[in-house]
Amino acid sequence: MQFDFATIAGLIIGITVVVLAILSGSDVMIFFNIPGALIVFGGTFAATLIKFPLTGIFVSIPIGIRAAFTVQKEKPRDYIRQAIQLVKRARKNGIQTIEKNNLKNPFFKKGVQLCADGRDLDYIRKILTQEMAMAIQREEVGGKIFRAIGDAAPAFGMFGTIVGLIQMLANMSDPSTIGPAMAVALLTTLYGVLVANLIALPIADKLESKSSEDKALRSLIIECVFQIQQMQNPTAMLEILEPHLPEKQRGGSGGSDGYTAGRDAKKRR
C-alpha cells in the first residue's frame, strides 16, 4: 500500500482555499462558534448512529479512511506475472513448493496457500469468494456511512441557522445585535456545507470507486489462484487472465518473469 496523493492533495488544496478566503476579509475568530459546531457535529454523529449499528460505524469508518487515503502499489498485471511464475514452479517442482513465496497481497497469498495445501477448486472458490464479498461489503458500508454524514451535516447546519434566527428575532429590541447574531446563525450552515462537500461526500465517492476497483482486482486474483491450482499451461493461462486487464494494460512487460515470454509464444503459434 502507498498513500493516495490525489486524496491528500485535494484535502490540502480545499482547506487552503477555505482558510485563505477566511483570512482575506475579516478576523478569523468570528468563524468559530462552539454552539454551532456542537449542533452540526453532534447532530450529524447522532443521525449516523441512528442509521447504522455502532459496531459497523467503528469498523467500517477506519476501513473506509484507509481505502480512501491509500492505493494498491502493485498493478493487476503484476499479479498475472506472479501467477505465471508460481504456476511454472508448480509444474516443475510440485504444487507444494509454491507455499514459499514473496507475495505481498494477503488475499493472493491466502489463495496460493490453499493451493499448496492441496485444497480442491470448489473449496478454494468458496473461501475466496466469501472473503471477497465480506471485504467489499465493509468498504461499501464505509462509503454509505460517509455519504450519510454528507447528507446529515448540511441539514443540521440549516437547523442551527434556523435556531439562531429564531433567537435573533425573539430579541429585536436592540438593532445593533442583529448583524452579529445573523453571522453566528449562518456559521452552522457554513460548517455543514464544508463537512459535507469537502470531506464526507468526496470520500464517499472515492470509496465507491475504490470498491469497484477492489472487486475487479480480487476477481482477477481469484482467477489467478484457480489457474495455479489447476497448474495451467502458462501460455493458456495468459490468454485466460489477460482479458481481466484494461485494454491499455494488456501486453505487459518484463520478459524475464514469463509474462512477455508467454505473449511471444502465443504470437508464434
Side-chain angles (χ1 to χ4, degrees), residues 1-5 66 69-75:
M1 289 284 189
Q2 61 185 11
F3 286 113
D4 188 336
F5 291 105
R66 185 170 63 249
F69 284 87
T70 59
V71 64
Q72 285 283 350
K73 188 175 182 180
E74 294 179 296
K75 303 300 180 183

Side-chain angles (χ1 to χ4, degrees), residues 25-192:
S26 58
D27 181 10
V28 68
M29 294 307 297
I30 68 172
F31 288 91
F32 290 95
N33 181 257
I34 294 177
L38 288 176
I39 290 174
V40 173
F41 293 104
T44 300
F45 183 65
T48 305
L49 286 178
I50 294 172
K51 289 184 178 182
F52 300 94
L54 187 63
T55 54
I57 292 174
F58 289 107
V59 170
S60 298
I61 284 184
I63 292 174
I65 292 175
R66 185 170 63 249
F69 284 87
T70 59
V71 64
Q72 285 283 350
K73 188 175 182 180
E74 294 179 296
K75 303 300 180 183
R77 60 177 176 270
D78 296 329
Y79 296 115
I80 296 180
R81 283 197 288 264
Q82 293 167 352
I84 290 176
Q85 290 175 341
L86 290 171
V87 83
K88 284 185 175 182
R89 191 198 307 175
R91 288 165 64 92
K92 182 178 180 181
N93 302 317
I95 193 71
Q96 296 82 5
T97 60
I98 65 173
E99 182 175 6
K100 294 182 178 181
N101 55 70
N102 59 354
L103 299 176
K104 296 179 181 180
N105 185 293
F107 185 69
F108 196 6
K109 195 175 187 69
K110 181 174 183 177
V112 170
Q113 182 62 52
L114 291 171
C115 293
D117 291 341
R119 302 292 188 178
D120 60 71
L121 194 61
D122 290 337
Y123 181 85
I124 295 174
R125 178 183 290 109
K126 180 180 179 181
I127 295 297
L128 294 185
T129 52
Q130 285 180 346
E131 183 166 332
M132 180 179 74
M134 293 302 296
I136 298 300
Q137 182 183 28
R138 287 191 290 267
E139 291 180 2
E140 289 177 346
V141 171
K144 290 179 181 178
I145 291 174
F146 278 102
R147 192 165 297 282
I149 293 172
D151 292 338
F156 279 98
M158 183 59 67
F159 169 76
T161 297
I162 293 172
V163 169
L165 290 175
I166 291 172
Q167 293 173 344
M168 181 190 71
L169 294 174
N171 187 20
M172 294 286 289
S173 57
D174 185 3
S176 64
T177 63
I178 294 178
M182 177 68 78
V184 171
L186 293 177
L187 280 177
T188 55
T189 297
L190 175 65
Y191 295 157

Side-chain angles (χ1 to χ4, degrees), residues 74-92 94-95 97-98 101-105 108-109 111-112 115 217-242 244-245 254 257-260 262:
E74 294 179 296
K75 303 300 180 183
R77 60 177 176 270
D78 296 329
Y79 296 115
I80 296 180
R81 283 197 288 264
Q82 293 167 352
I84 290 176
Q85 290 175 341
L86 290 171
V87 83
K88 284 185 175 182
R89 191 198 307 175
R91 288 165 64 92
K92 182 178 180 181
I95 193 71
T97 60
I98 65 173
N101 55 70
N102 59 354
L103 299 176
K104 296 179 181 180
N105 185 293
F108 196 6
K109 195 175 187 69
V112 170
C115 293
L217 182 62
R218 286 176 182 266
S219 297
L220 170 62
I221 290 174
I222 289 175
E223 189 61 45
C224 287
V225 172
F226 289 170
Q227 301 304 313
I228 293 171
Q229 193 273 344
Q230 298 174 78
M231 292 195 287
Q232 181 66 267
N233 178 278
T235 302
M237 184 175 177
L238 182 61
E239 294 175 337
I240 294 170
L241 296 177
E242 203 173 42
H244 287 266
L245 298 177
D257 58 17
Y259 189 100
T260 303

Side-chain angles (χ1 to χ4, degrees), residues 17-29:
V17 169
V18 171
V19 171
L20 290 177
I22 290 174
L23 294 176
S24 64
S26 58
D27 181 10
V28 68
M29 294 307 297

